[in-house]
Structures are given as C-alpha cells and as structure tokens.
Amino acid sequence: ATLAPAKVRSRYHDIISMVCLASSCRFLCSWLVTWQVLVARAKPLGKKACDSCDYELPVSYSIANGLRGSGQQASYRGEWFDVYSKPIHTRYGEVVNVFNFDRHAPSTVPLPPEIVARFNGSVMAITGFETNIVEIDEKGVERLVPCTAMYNHHWSHMMLGASAPPLEIQDLEYYDYVGAGAASRDGDWVGPSHQALHKAFSLASTRRAAASFPAAPGAEPRRHKQPRFGGALDWSDDPVATAPTAQFFSEGNGNEHRLSFHGYARGFAQLIHSPVAFAPGIMFINTKDVTGTSRTGHGSLIPRVAVAAGDVEYSALLECPCGTRRKMDAAAQTIDGKKVGFGCDFPGEDTGVGLATMKHQNNTACHMETLHGGSKCCENGMVLLDEDQEQPAAMSTFYYKQRFYFDDGSKDYTNLFRVYWQAELKNNEYDVPVCPPGTPPEQCVFVMTNQGIAKETLWPADPSAPKGWDKLAWPEDGTGIQLIYAGGHCHVGCLSLDLINLDTGATICHQEPVMGTRVSPGDNAMDEAGYSVSIPPCEWGTDPRDELPPPVVIRPNDRLQIIARYNATRMRPRDDAAADPRTVDIAHYAVMSMYQMRAAFERPSPDFHV
C-alpha cells in the first residue's frame, strides 16, 4: 500500500487528534480514524493499461529516498509503446530460462514499425519502463497473471539498434532439456540460459573498433577508440554522438518488477541509436495450480527436497529445488552429466575485489555435496519435481510485456550506464541457514555482507558495456560516477538491503521489500501474499521538480559495503515426513542480494584533483 505524503499525513493526524480530545466529538472522532486508515491503505487511482486490457496500472510508484520522506511517489514521463514476447507455452513445474540476445534469435521481436521509422538515424531517450506477465484469452482480452501462477525469477533484456554488432562471447556451452519444456513446443524459447551466458560474458574478450568519436564542444580532443556498442567514456563525450547502439535492461528485475519504479530523474535516460528490435531474456517458473483446489493459486505438488511446504503462501518451486529428476554426482561435480562450477573461491578474494564471505561461512551453496537447490537445477526445460511425481498435463500460455516510456534523444539528456554489485559476488546465489533453536523470532535473521573498493568490486554486468561485461569504464582523469538510480533485487525471505560508503559512514541506499497481502486462487495479481511485490528504488536527480536528493558520487577508491538481511525462520517442520531430512537446516535456497544501478559520469569541479 502507498501512503499520502508525510506532511499531509501529519496535518491529518493533528486535526484528528484535536477532534478526538473533545469528548463531545466521539462519533466524528471514530469516523475520522476510520477514514485515516483507509487513506493510508489506498493505492493511487489506476489507469487502464490498454483498450483490450482487463486491468489497470498505477499512476505513480513509491521510491525509497525522496525528499518528502517515506511513501513519496514518482511517475513515468513521455510517450510510450508496448512490446510483447513470443507466446510462452508451459506446464506446471517447468523452467523457462532463455537469454538469447542475438538479433536473429527466434525469441527476438521487432519494435513497432512507427517507432523504428521515427528513430531511423536518430536517438531515442528511454526515460523508464513498466513490466508485466500477461495472458490473452480467445476474445483478445488481456489479463495480468499472478506470480503464484508464473513466477518471475528474473529477467534481463536487450534493445538492439540497427547497427548493433553481434555479441562477442567465448565458450558458450549450453543445452536445453528438449521434450520437457517450452523450447520444444514452438521453437521460440531456445538458447543459452542466464547461467551459461553469464559465464560466457565473464570470459569474453571484447574487441574495440578503431574509429574515434567527437568530443563535447569546448572539450579537449579525445584519443579514445569507440566501443563496439558505442557509449561515452567520460563526462566530456557528446551523449548524442556517442549514443549506444544497444541498451540492456535488468533493474528491479525479480518478482518485485511490477510495482517497482523503473523511471529516471529529469535530464537522464538510456539513449539508443536507431532502435529496431527487442531481445527478451527470461527465467520464469510455472507454479500455477491446475487442479482448481488451491487456496493460494499455486500448485502444492513439490519435491521432497523443497524447504517450504506445498500449502504455504508462496510456491516452494520458486527456489529451484533439485528434485530426484536431477542426477547429482558430487564426485564428478556434474548435474545430469553437465559440469558445474562454484564461485565461492575467486581471484582476488579478501582484497579490494571483495570478501570470500560465502567460503568463510562454508555456505551450503558452495559445494556439490550440500547443493539442494538453485539455478544449477533451473536450466531451460527442467522440471522441478521428483521422478515419481507425475507432471500435470495442462498447458498454460503466457506473454512477457514491457512498456517503454521515451522522448526525443536530441534533447538535453545524459545517458545512464549500468553499475552492478552483489553480496554473493562470484557465486551469484547463497543459501540462508536456519537460525539456532530457541532464537526469538525478531532475532531470527541471517545477514550476508560484503565490501570492496569501488574500482575493483563494481562491474557493469552488461553485455553492451563500453569495456565489456565485467569492467566498468572509470574515467581516466580520476573522477568518479554519480548514481541516479539504484534498484535492489532479493528473493523470498528478504528483509532489507543496504549500500554503504565505508569511508564516510553514509548509507547510500536503504531498501525494504513491500509484501503482498491477499491470499487468492487467482485474482490477486500485484498483491500476492507471501511475495515481494515491490522494492522501491533509491533515486537521485538535479531538477528541483523531482524532489530528489542530489546524485551520490562514488570515486574509484571509495570503500563500499553491501548488507542483506533475510528471515531465517524454518519454513518446513523438522518432523515433516514428506521432507528430505538433509534440508531441515536451510530456510531458503539460492537467494540473491544485489544492487542494479544506473549512473552518469561525474562532472569535475574546477578545484578537483586526484
């Protein structure tokens, strides 16, 4: 729920207090108190999503750090257009995990022709975007799909320009479980999983084109070579002349995606030259009840290794349990014959690169012997059930939908590049151990933390980044970057995320998930109990109309810390006869704790020196 602005709430509270102090006004006092509660719970009036849509979208969204305090709202600006994925045909328990960013991939879709024509040879400024998972009935009516039916583990997408080169990656090894999932039904959802692509990008050697590009008027001539996908390399580069030929979208990209704000302050945008296509990357899990008997909307059929029971508010399948359909070979370090690796040990551990926290904790997600859930058991086409459990035959068809808000990029916009960091660093996920018996509920919290030096520990995690997937383009003059957007991402059980500058002691961003409140068999999209439906982002800006704090500057040598807090309560009783006894001390599998950020280059002051 969203709240009225803090100042307005305070004024209402003062009036109500005065009325209630007068004994002769008890009836009016009772009415006003009731009205105050209703105001506090009210959501912004909605806007119909489209002519054929049977749902509304919010007119505004909460942000975490506005100058007006808790509950400050922000809205999207500009014109908009919608893009739909190819249909996703899937059955209960199946994983769809395809991140195929090739221009000619079967899952890539064209942008609306009027958009392509309008920006042919020019620059579009993407000022924000909204995301949804929908279904369309035989009459063409579009409805939201609750996350209890199709769970969004995460997505990452690319918008491709007409001159965007193909991705250069090495060692791209992957395979689909053909015959078991959406990949084999229509041929659209084939290609590398997120895990395979992440590994390939990390090993990639990105070539640089030889051509120079113009400097900003009045700036010193540049000697930089143009990155393959374009993009500025410091504050002096002309944002239009260096506009990228591709843009990556992966902020607030988990189940929190629908009600998390993905817009930017005035004057900032993701710029792209001659946009023509949209390449979606999705990791979705079908958890839809097909029996018609569920009170929650998700199915109750789960493997024994799941760490939550089948009748709790959220589906245990969303944590990717490694059921007995997976052939786990600890000695060979393989799953279904495929070699798997772990990142709890990594080059530069316990230096400025970051702490090997998971290794020191001996986290169960670090070893094949104790691995019972996570992305390694969530490859494309995998079914998250045990061998002796019959997969329901009912087929569901869903679509991913993204609405882009945009403007003419020739206006005075600064391009935003991606900055990324995660507490789990190189392993990408970690397990949450159960707190010791007898721990008071309010203290049953697991903390994952990490720290490092900005220039060594931050990276873009963007295949189109100027210096490649894992190397942030810090300016050569020693200046830093200024944060404009920070969208945290975490999983079920998450309590909070914090990004801290250790040198100043300042909290850069504090975020807390907003949980859904309604238990329903299927009509509670955007308010599903047990799920995080929003993680309000931190935003910064330079235009007073936005009522945002000024951009936070991070310099290359700043020491940073990330802190994630998770509920460590046991979700499945220790004496549950249907549970796998090896998992009784794990509260959650394979959670994540990351900051997905957008930044611009710091413009140095006249007295700046390194």
Side-chain angles (χ1 to χ4, degrees):
T2 55
L3 302 176
K7 292 181 180 178
V8 176
R9 293 202 309 275
S10 178
R11 192 178 308 123
Y12 293 155
H13 184 270
D14 291 344
I15 294 172
I16 291 170
S17 296
M18 287 187 292
V19 170
C20 291
L21 285 174
S23 59
S24 60
C25 300
R26 287 180 179 174
F27 174 79
L28 180 58
C29 168
S30 177
W31 184 88
L32 285 172
V33 169
T34 301
W35 175 83
Q36 182 187 34
V37 172
L38 291 175
V39 168
R41 292 181 178 175
K43 291 185 176 180
L45 294 175
K47 56 183 179 181
K48 191 172 182 181
C50 64
D51 290 341
S52 61
C53 291
D54 189 25
Y55 63 94
E56 295 181 338
L57 294 174
V59 296
S60 63
Y61 297 78
S62 294
I63 58 175
N65 66 329
L67 294 180
R68 286 189 279 120
S70 174
Q72 180 170 324
Q73 299 288 294
S75 299
Y76 294 102
R77 299 185 308 278
E79 303 173 75
W80 56 265
F81 63 89
D82 291 330
V83 181
Y84 292 79
S85 73
K86 299 282 184 70
I88 307 166
H89 305 298
T90 176
R91 294 164 59 191
Y92 178 78
E94 286 177 356
V95 179
V96 183
N97 185 348
V98 177
F99 291 74
N100 197 341
F101 299 143
D102 187 87
R103 180 189 304 277
H104 305 294
S107 53
T108 297
V109 295
L111 297 183
E114 61 272 21
I115 295 297
V116 174
R118 178 173 169 179
F119 290 101
N120 181 25
S122 64
V123 176
M124 179 168 70
I126 299 169
T127 60
F129 57 90
E130 289 171 304
T131 67
N132 273 297
I133 299 175
V134 301
E135 55 187 352
I136 303 172
D137 68 16
E138 64 279 359
K139 296 181 180 180
V141 177
E142 179 179 314
R143 295 183 175 85
L144 291 179
V145 176
C147 64
T148 53
M150 188 65 151
Y151 179 75
N152 169 33
H153 189 281
H154 69 281
W155 46 251
S156 298
H157 316 304
M158 290 198 75
M159 184 180 288
L160 302 172
S163 59
L167 297 175
E168 286 193 338
I169 49 181
Q170 301 171 349
D171 301 321
L172 183 53
E173 299 176 356
Y174 69 92
Y175 60 94
D176 296 302
Y177 286 75
V178 178
S184 64
R185 296 193 179 108
D186 49 32
D188 289 332
W189 298 101
V190 295
S193 67
H194 187 259
Q195 300 88 273
L197 206 62
H198 189 284
K199 176 183 176 182
F201 284 140
S202 296
L203 298 174
S205 174
T206 305
R207 292 197 303 266
R208 304 288 183 266
S212 301
F213 50 76
E220 292 294 322
R222 298 196 37 114
R223 294 194 300 270
H224 291 310
K225 304 302 181 183
Q226 183 176 358
R228 294 186 68 245
F229 290 92
L233 291 176
D234 68 26
W235 67 271
S236 67
D237 291 331
D238 185 296
V240 174
T242 62
T245 58
Q247 279 287 358
F248 191 60
F249 304 93
S250 189
E251 289 75 41
N253 64 338
N255 195 69
E256 72 279 356
H257 68 135
R258 280 176 162 155
L259 293 178
S260 293
F261 187 58
H262 301 97
Y264 307 126
R266 287 174 172 83
F268 298 94
Q270 289 181 250
L271 303 181
I272 181 170
H273 191 276
S274 301
V276 296
F278 178 67
I282 60 174
M283 182 176 171
F284 294 168
I285 303 171
N286 185 325
T287 61
K288 181 179 179 179
D289 170 58
V290 294
T291 67
T293 61
S294 171
R295 68 179 183 90
T296 61
H298 67 73
S300 59
L301 187 63
I302 58 172
R304 295 183 70 240
V305 77
V307 289
D311 60 351
V312 299
E313 290 178 341
Y314 66 87
S315 170
L317 298 186
L318 63 84
E319 298 184 298
C320 297
C322 301
T324 58
R325 294 182 184 227
R326 305 279 67 79
K327 307 307 176 190
M328 315 278 287
D329 189 331
Q333 297 285 291
T334 60
I335 299 177
D336 296 345
K338 178 183 177 182
K339 196 79 172 178
V340 297
F342 299 85
C344 299
D345 298 274
F346 54 89
E349 63 182 46
D350 297 335
T351 67
V353 174
L355 305 177
T357 307
M358 293 182 60
K359 172 185 174 182
H360 302 321
Q361 291 176 342
N362 197 28
N363 195 277
T364 48
C366 289
H367 314 285
M368 272 294 297
E369 293 79 3
T370 54
L371 183 75
H372 304 302
S375 61
K376 296 176 178 62
C377 292
C378 255
E379 294 281 359
N380 193 37
M382 285 184 172
V383 177
L384 302 176
L385 299 173
D386 285 331
E387 282 185 299
D388 61 352
Q389 295 174 323
E390 183 177 354
Q391 184 188 19
M395 188 76 65
S396 299
T397 300
F398 305 120
Y399 298 83
Y400 175 81
K401 177 182 181 180
Q402 187 144 331
R403 173 166 294 181
F404 288 99
Y405 291 83
F406 69 95
D407 196 2
D408 181 350
S410 65
K411 298 179 181 179
D412 191 17
Y413 281 102
T414 296
N415 182 56
L416 294 175
F417 52 86
R418 192 163 191 259
V419 180
Y420 181 83
W421 199 30
Q422 59 187 26
E424 54 272 24
L425 286 185
K426 308 303 180 181
N427 202 61
N428 299 320
E429 56 193 14
Y430 59 94
D431 292 343
V432 174
V434 167
C435 56
T439 303
E442 67 276 8
Q443 297 177 21
C444 194
V445 176
F446 177 74
V447 179
M448 174 62 74
T449 185
N450 219 308
Q451 63 186 60
I453 297 173
K455 66 182 179 183
E456 299 179 54
T457 197
L458 300 179
W459 72 98
D462 176 354
S464 62
K467 292 193 174 182
W469 173 267
D470 54 4
K471 187 173 178 59
L472 201 60
W474 291 95
E476 294 180 356
D477 61 4
T479 54
I481 60 177
Q482 52 181 8
L483 292 185
I484 302 299
Y485 179 95
H489 167 64
C490 53
H491 288 196
V492 64
C494 179
L495 299 174
S496 65
L497 291 169
D498 286 279
L499 181 63
I500 298 169
N501 185 320
L502 289 175
D503 292 325
T504 65
T507 296
I508 297 172
C509 182
H510 171 78
Q511 294 179 273
E512 297 180 12
V514 176
M515 302 302 295
T517 63
R518 293 181 56 215
V519 177
S520 169
D523 64 349
N524 58 342
M526 294 191 181
D527 194 20
E528 301 94 330
Y531 294 81
S532 168
V533 296
S534 169
I535 303 179
C538 292
E539 302 241 350
W540 300 269
T542 57
D543 191 312
R545 291 174 294 175
D546 290 326
E547 297 184 281
L548 296 172
V552 172
V553 174
I554 296 177
R555 297 268 169 75
N557 291 315
D558 285 354
R559 295 184 305 123
L560 303 177
Q561 182 182 39
I562 183 172
I563 302 174
R565 296 175 176 86
Y566 271 85
N567 187 332
T569 302
R570 185 189 310 282
M571 298 304 299
R572 201 163 183 176
R574 185 179 291 273
D575 59 356
D576 186 345
D580 189 317
R582 296 173 300 169
T583 65
V584 295
D585 290 324
I586 300 174
H588 297 289
Y589 288 140
V591 303
M592 297 177 174
S593 305
M594 60 185 65
Y595 269 99
Q596 304 158 317
M597 299 170 280
R598 288 281 161 179
F601 292 113
E602 177 190 12
R603 184 179 291 270
S605 61
D607 58 350
F608 172 81
H609 60 86
V610 179

